Amino acid sequence: MVASVEITDAEFAAYERDGVVCLRDVFSSDWIDLMRGAVEDAMADPGPHAEEYANAATGGRFFGDLDVWQRQPAFRKFVMESPAAEVAGRVMRSKTSTFFYDHLLVKEGGTAERTPWHQDQPYWAVSGRQVASLWVPFDSVPEDVSVEYVAGSHLWEAHNPYHFDDGSPYEGTDLPPMPDIEGHREDYRILTFALEPGDCLVFQAMIVHGAPGNPHKGRRRALATRWLGDDARYLKRKGEVSIPTTDPGFADGERYRGESFPLVWRSK
């Protein structure tokens, strides 16, 4: 089920310049078919960190769940055996790829709820620049419902995280608030990509991103897997931290390791 994936010089350059790159035809139809069934199993048996992100007043459904790989064998197979680890490691220009966690995101048709603008890494107890996500869709994703990225914002300073459910800021971080991207879209170069099953987005963990609602009839099922490269370390942050969901017991500056954070890929 794993085929060789070529990453071009232009794709490496896009990631380094913009903080995000779209790679086409990375995952075979076997992987997509496996994960479509696995998503249904996961939604029928949600874990302790599952959330419904959509506002009931606006209708629709936006479902999310974390660490699904720890409960669902197909998700574990995807993490450990699919091209994801190698692609992440190579795009990050890392010699290794350590798995951090997975995040299942299902935005049903007719859901108005936006994914608000944010950076991922300030939510996480992680330092380093070789930290990235692979966002893999299991449905066709038109450009108007795909994830949006502020090009070059992976080079910005960290901004304060906030809770998606009520918009309240994380406490005690001493980080500045996120600028009003949505109110001043014309001031930024915003990238978005129409995607087909098999494609993926690789993005650096500091890039500012969000996503529109899904006004179409079709679903938008996607899995974001998070990956740590050579320079990533455990960071004891000030204030609130959401990931890892439990204290891993590492000292500040230690590498992530162990059964919960497996080393999945190493360059030859």
Side-chain angles (χ1 to χ4, degrees):
M1 296 174 74
V2 178
S4 176
V5 177
E6 291 188 7
I7 302 171
T8 66
D9 289 343
E11 289 165 340
F12 280 119
Y15 179 80
E16 292 168 5
R17 178 188 66 241
D18 298 330
V20 59
V21 63
C22 178
L23 303 178
R24 304 292 184 183
D25 297 320
V26 173
F27 296 90
S28 70
S29 58
D30 291 329
W31 284 115
I32 301 305
D33 291 343
L34 174 72
M35 294 308 297
R36 283 172 173 164
V39 168
E40 303 314 304
D41 293 340
M43 294 182 73
D45 184 24
H49 305 295
E51 290 189 70
E52 296 287 349
Y53 299 123
N55 187 328
T58 59
R61 187 184 187 192
F62 184 13
F63 173 86
D65 204 354
L66 307 178
D67 291 331
V68 187
W69 79 294
Q70 295 181 359
R71 306 185 308 275
Q72 296 285 347
F75 281 76
R76 182 176 184 84
K77 184 178 182 70
F78 185 88
V79 166
M80 302 300 291
E81 300 179 27
S82 84
E86 179 179 353
V87 170
R90 290 175 59 199
V91 170
M92 292 189 292
R93 297 189 183 274
S94 172
K95 294 179 180 178
T96 61
S97 229
T98 295
F99 182 65
F100 189 34
Y101 77 101
D102 62 1
H103 192 177
L104 173 62
L105 296 156
V106 180
K107 194 172 283 190
E108 303 285 5
T111 301
E113 194 78 13
R114 276 194 60 88
T115 304
W117 295 101
H118 65 287
Q119 297 163 306
D120 285 338
Q121 198 162 339
Y123 287 84
W124 305 343
V126 176
S127 66
R129 296 298 302 175
Q130 290 170 309
V131 183
S133 293
L134 256 76
W135 196 92
V136 181
F138 306 127
D139 302 289
S140 295
V141 181
E143 190 172 303
D144 64 338
V145 302
S146 192
V147 187
E148 299 179 310
Y149 299 89
V150 178
S153 60
H154 61 307
L155 303 177
W156 291 7
E157 65 177 335
H159 290 78
N160 198 31
Y162 50 90
H163 300 277
F164 282 13
D165 56 353
D166 62 7
S168 62
Y170 273 36
E171 296 183 358
T173 68
D174 292 341
L175 295 174
M178 179 65 63
D180 180 12
I181 307 294
E182 193 61 22
H184 300 87
R185 292 176 63 98
E186 68 280 1
D187 295 339
Y188 304 96
R189 185 163 67 94
I190 295 176
L191 303 177
T192 190
F193 308 87
L195 301 165
E196 294 297 329
D199 300 340
C200 71
L201 300 171
V202 187
F203 56 97
Q204 208 273 343
M206 285 296 292
I207 194 170
V208 176
H209 60 289
N214 181 10
H216 303 295
K217 292 182 178 179
R219 313 174 77 187
R220 199 209 69 178
R221 295 171 289 183
L223 181 67
T225 53
R226 322 295 193 171
W227 299 93
L228 309 177
D230 298 335
D231 75 350
R233 297 292 187 274
Y234 178 72
L235 173 64
K236 222 168 184 53
R237 287 192 182 275
K238 288 186 64 176
E240 287 187 65
V241 175
S242 63
I243 304 294
T245 55
T246 58
D247 185 351
F250 300 149
D252 194 46
E254 278 194 80
R255 284 182 180 270
Y256 277 83
R257 64 189 187 283
E259 291 184 1
S260 296
F261 309 103
L263 176 67
V264 180
W265 175 83
R266 185 187 297 274
S267 63
K268 296 179 180 179

